[in-house]
């Protein structure tokens, strides 16, 4: 396969438009076994396929389509972990499907728990892992139902989740994500002291916005990475991917029935989506600044605008059989596979291609301090 190298590493790939791509998709639900059932839109009868025929075109440059052979060659003798919620798992499964054109991995999981999977690409000695940590910080489920039947969670906002923290130092690349779970009913703790909550309904407890818990959690994660002496890898913060419920909230009849992307001037980032995105960017910049003093490397995998423009890419009701009893009946949070989320690997490969030069320059700056 011809390998194209972009010569413009300063291009902001986060700003652009979706343009037609008659060559897509690059796998199907019959050629890839890694698709989670609830994102298997073709299997469950989604009738249209036009949503598979688009690619992301940055405003100022070209973004080549993901090349699995090039990616695997760059990942030789390396490891990559996804840490966060089920949209992070969605991204990992997309990557496995895109890589399936080259080779499939073997299951190398340490635990039988599906939330903590590990895959090995033997010929490349490349390990891919996922750590399900929807709040990223230490969490205890206080009530399976809670006030709104979505659970009540105790969040320890100044303590990173040990499920990923205990193993993260062995990885060369880590991609963090989070956001969707922070709208759930939660009780916030700092220094083991109750400081407030979100929709908890407990007497004499201050109700705080979900952004309070989110900012504290992101800050804790990035500070924790900065303080890990033995972690020598690269930390990616993958920005928030907005949901697209219209006509109601997720539990009040909301759905996503559009069949083509927005053009960038048809919509804008606003409300909670804008707040979560702003928090991520601000906390990333603060951690990056601090990290440069310690030789740590942070990267922003900014997919927010691209995904804001894809209301057509969700499973909606095509993630289950019509008579099946599921929590998220119309799923406008996750992404069909194949689908727009496959473009995240285009973003990732583009960033990795320039990583050697960028890391070398940062190392030189660190040594001069």
């Amino acid at each position: 396969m011809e390998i194209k190298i972009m010569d413009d590493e300063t291009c902001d790939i986060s700003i652009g438009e979706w343009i037609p791509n008659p060559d897509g998709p690059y796998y199907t639900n019959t050629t890839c076994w890694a698709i989670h059932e609830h994102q298997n839109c073709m299997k469950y009868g989604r009738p249209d396929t036009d949503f598979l025929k688009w690619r992301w075109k940055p405003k100022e440059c070209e973004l080549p389509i993901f090349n699995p052979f090039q990616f695997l060659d760059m990942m030789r003798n390396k490891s990559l972990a996804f840490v966060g919620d089920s949209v992070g798992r969605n991204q990992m499964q997309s990557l496995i499907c895109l890589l399936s054109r080259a080779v499939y991995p073997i299951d190398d999981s340490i635990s039988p728990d599906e939330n903590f999977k590990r895959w090995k690409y033997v010929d490349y000695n490349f390990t891919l892992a996922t750590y399900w940590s929807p709040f990223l910080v230490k969490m205890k489920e206080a009530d399976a139902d809670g006030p709104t039947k979505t659970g009540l969670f105790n969040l320890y906002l100044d303590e990173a989740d040990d499920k990923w923290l205990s193993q993260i130092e062995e990885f060369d690349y880590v991609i963090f994500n989070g956001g969707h779970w922070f709208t759930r009913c939660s009780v916030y703790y700092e220094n083991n002291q109750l400081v407030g909550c979100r929709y908890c309904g407990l007497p004499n407890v201050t109700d705080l916005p979900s952004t309070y818990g989110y900012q504290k959690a992101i800050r804790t994660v990035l500070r924790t990475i900065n303080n890990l002496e033995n972690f020598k890898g690269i930390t990616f913060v993958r920005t928030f991917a907005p949901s697209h419920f219209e006509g109601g909230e997720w539990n009040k009849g909301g759905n996503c029935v559009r069949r083509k992307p927005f053009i960038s001037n048809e919509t804008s980032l606003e409300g909670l989506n804008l707040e979560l995105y702003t928090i991520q960017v601000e906390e990333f910049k603060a951690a990056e600044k601090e990290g440069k003093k310690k030789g740590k490397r942070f990267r922003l995998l900014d997919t927010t605008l691209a995904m804001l423009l894809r209301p057509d890419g969700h499973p909606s009701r095509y993630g289950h059989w019509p008579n099946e009893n599921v929590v998220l009946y119309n799923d406008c949070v996750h992404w069909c596979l194949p689908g727009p989320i496959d473009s995240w690997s285009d973003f990732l490969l583009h960033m990795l291609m320039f990583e050697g030069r960028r890391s070398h320059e940062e190392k030189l700056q660190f040594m001069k301090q």
Side-chain angles (χ1 to χ4, degrees), residues 130-181:
T130 182
Y131 293 87
W132 189 76
S133 181
F135 294 108
L136 299 173
V137 292
K138 181 181 172 184
M139 171 268 284
K140 291 180 181 176
E141 189 171 38
D143 183 346
D145 277 340
T148 60
K149 308 298 181 186
T150 57
L152 177 64
F153 302 91
N154 292 341
L155 302 186
Y156 299 84
L157 297 174
D158 51 356
E159 297 181 53
D161 185 354
D162 195 57
K163 289 186 179 70
W164 61 260
L165 178 58
S166 61
Q167 298 180 40
I168 214 66
E169 288 181 327
E170 68 183 82
F171 288 92
D172 298 290
Y173 304 97
V174 184
I175 301 177
F176 286 99
N177 82 95
H180 290 290
W181 278 64

Side-chain angles (χ1 to χ4, degrees), residues 40 53 93 127 141 152 170 191 205 219 284 312 338 346:
N40 199 340
K53 302 290 185 178
Q93 290 168 343
T127 297
E141 189 171 38
L152 177 64
E170 68 183 82
N191 295 319
V205 178
R219 185 174 297 169
F284 164 81
D312 57 324
D346 302 345

Side-chain angles (χ1 to χ4, degrees), residues 1-9 11-13 17-19 21 23 26 54-68 70-71 74 98 101 340-354:
M1 293 177 68
E2 181 184 354
I3 295 177
K4 296 178 181 176
I5 300 290
M6 284 182 54
D7 55 9
D8 188 2
E9 65 177 295
C11 175
D12 183 355
I13 59 173
E17 302 282 357
W18 291 93
I19 64 172
N21 177 29
D23 295 335
Y26 298 93
W54 300 89
R55 69 177 179 89
W56 181 246
K57 168 66 174 71
K59 187 177 180 180
E60 298 173 348
C61 60
E62 284 292 329
L63 182 62
I65 294 293
F66 181 80
N67 183 321
Q70 183 181 13
F71 180 86
M74 294 174 74
L98 289 166
R101 288 187 294 153
I341 194 173
D342 294 327
S343 69
W344 295 5
S345 291
D346 302 345
F347 280 68
L348 180 61
L349 180 56
H350 165 81
M351 296 176 73
L352 290 172
M353 276 174 16
F354 299 114

Side-chain angles (χ1 to χ4, degrees), residues 185-216:
C185 303
S186 304
V187 182
Y188 300 145
Y189 291 85
E190 294 174 57
N191 295 319
N192 281 317
Q193 300 295 313
L194 194 157
V195 295
C197 74
R198 179 62 175 161
Y199 296 141
C200 66
L202 297 175
N204 303 318
V205 178
T206 305
D207 194 59
L208 296 167
S210 56
T211 50
Y212 177 89
Y214 188 60
Q215 182 156 27
K216 294 278 187 176

